[in-house]
Coordinates of all heavy atoms in Angstrom, one line a residue:
W24 N 84.3 112.8 104.2 CA 85.6 112.1 104.3 C 86.7 112.9 103.7 O 86.5 113.6 102.6 CB 85.6 110.7 103.7 CG 84.7 109.8 104.4 CD1 83.7 110.0 105.3 CD2 84.7 108.3 104.3 NE1 83.1 108.9 105.7 CE2 83.7 107.8 105.1 CE3 85.5 107.5 103.5 CZ2 83.4 106.4 105.2 CZ3 85.3 106.1 103.7 CH2 84.3 105.6 104.5
D31 N 99.0 105.0 96.6 CA 99.8 103.9 96.0 C 101.2 103.8 96.5 O 102.2 103.8 95.7 CB 99.8 104.0 94.4 CG 98.4 104.1 93.9 OD1 97.6 103.3 94.3 OD2 98.2 105.0 93.0
D49 N 114.6 80.3 100.3 CA 115.8 81.1 100.8 C 116.9 80.1 101.1 O 116.9 78.9 100.7 CB 115.4 81.8 102.1 CG 114.9 80.9 103.2 OD1 115.2 79.6 103.1 OD2 114.3 81.3 104.2
H81 N 92.5 102.7 106.2 CA 93.6 102.3 105.2 C 92.9 101.4 104.1 O 92.4 100.4 104.4 CB 94.7 101.6 105.9 CG 95.9 101.3 105.0 ND1 97.1 102.1 105.1 CD2 96.1 100.4 104.0 CE1 98.0 101.6 104.3 NE2 97.4 100.6 103.6
K85 N 89.8 97.6 95.1 CA 89.7 96.5 94.1 C 88.7 96.8 93.0 O 87.6 97.3 93.3 CB 89.3 95.2 94.8 CG 90.3 94.7 95.9 CD 91.6 94.4 95.4 CE 92.5 93.8 96.5 NZ 93.9 93.6 96.0
K96 N 89.3 85.4 96.2 CA 90.0 86.7 96.2 C 89.7 87.6 97.4 O 90.6 88.3 97.8 CB 89.6 87.4 94.9 CG 90.2 86.8 93.6 CD 90.2 87.7 92.5 CE 91.0 87.1 91.3 NZ 91.1 88.1 90.1
L97 N 88.4 87.5 97.8 CA 88.1 88.3 99.0 C 88.9 87.8 100.2 O 89.4 88.7 101.0 CB 86.6 88.2 99.3 CG 85.7 88.9 98.4 CD1 84.2 88.7 98.9 CD2 86.0 90.4 98.3
P124 N 99.0 113.7 113.3 CA 99.6 114.6 114.2 C 100.2 113.9 115.4 O 99.6 112.9 116.0 CB 98.4 115.5 114.7 CG 97.4 115.4 113.6 CD 97.5 114.0 113.1
L131 N 92.9 103.2 113.6 CA 93.2 102.8 112.3 C 92.5 101.6 112.0 O 92.6 100.6 112.7 CB 94.8 102.6 112.2 CG 95.3 102.0 110.9 CD1 94.9 102.9 109.7 CD2 96.8 101.8 110.9
G133 N 90.8 99.0 108.5 CA 91.0 98.7 107.1 C 89.6 98.8 106.4 O 88.6 98.6 106.9
T155 N 83.7 83.1 102.4 CA 85.1 83.3 102.8 C 85.4 82.7 104.1 O 86.6 82.5 104.5 CB 85.5 84.8 102.8 OG1 84.9 85.4 103.8 CG2 85.2 85.4 101.4
K156 N 84.4 82.4 104.9 CA 84.5 81.8 106.3 C 85.4 82.8 107.1 O 86.6 82.4 107.5 CB 85.1 80.4 106.2 CG 84.2 79.4 105.5 CD 84.8 78.0 105.5 CE 83.8 77.1 104.8 NZ 84.4 75.7 104.7
A163 N 94.3 89.9 113.9 CA 94.7 90.2 115.2 C 93.6 90.9 116.0 O 92.8 91.6 115.5 CB 96.0 91.0 115.1
T226 N 76.7 102.0 106.0 CA 76.3 100.6 105.7 C 75.1 100.2 106.6 O 74.8 99.1 106.7 CB 77.5 99.7 105.9 OG1 78.0 100.0 107.3 CG2 78.6 100.0 104.9
Y234 N 70.5 119.6 108.5 CA 70.9 120.9 107.9 C 70.1 122.1 108.6 O 69.0 121.9 109.0 CB 70.7 120.9 106.4 CG 69.3 120.8 105.9 CD1 68.4 121.8 105.7 CD2 68.7 119.5 105.7 CE1 67.1 121.7 105.4 CE2 67.4 119.4 105.2 CZ 66.6 120.5 105.1 OH 65.3 120.3 104.6
S242 N 64.7 124.4 108.2 CA 65.6 123.4 108.8 C 65.0 122.1 108.7 O 63.8 121.9 108.7 CB 65.9 123.8 110.2 OG 66.5 125.0 110.4
Y260 N 58.4 100.8 113.4 CA 59.7 100.8 114.1 C 60.5 102.0 113.7 O 61.2 102.6 114.6 CB 60.4 99.5 113.8 CG 61.8 99.4 114.5 CD1 61.8 99.0 115.9 CD2 62.9 99.7 113.9 CE1 63.1 98.9 116.5 CE2 64.2 99.6 114.5 CZ 64.2 99.2 115.8 OH 65.4 99.1 116.4
M281 N 64.1 106.8 99.4 CA 64.2 105.4 99.4 C 65.3 105.0 98.4 O 65.3 105.4 97.2 CB 62.9 104.8 98.8 CG 61.7 104.9 99.8 SD 61.8 103.7 101.2 CE 61.6 102.1 100.3

Side-chain angles (χ1 to χ4, degrees):
W24 291 18
D31 304 316
D49 60 15
H81 192 102
K85 300 295 187 186
K96 286 198 172 183
L97 286 182
L131 172 58
T155 65
K156 299 181 180 178
T226 53
Y234 62 89
S242 298
Y260 178 82
M281 291 285 290

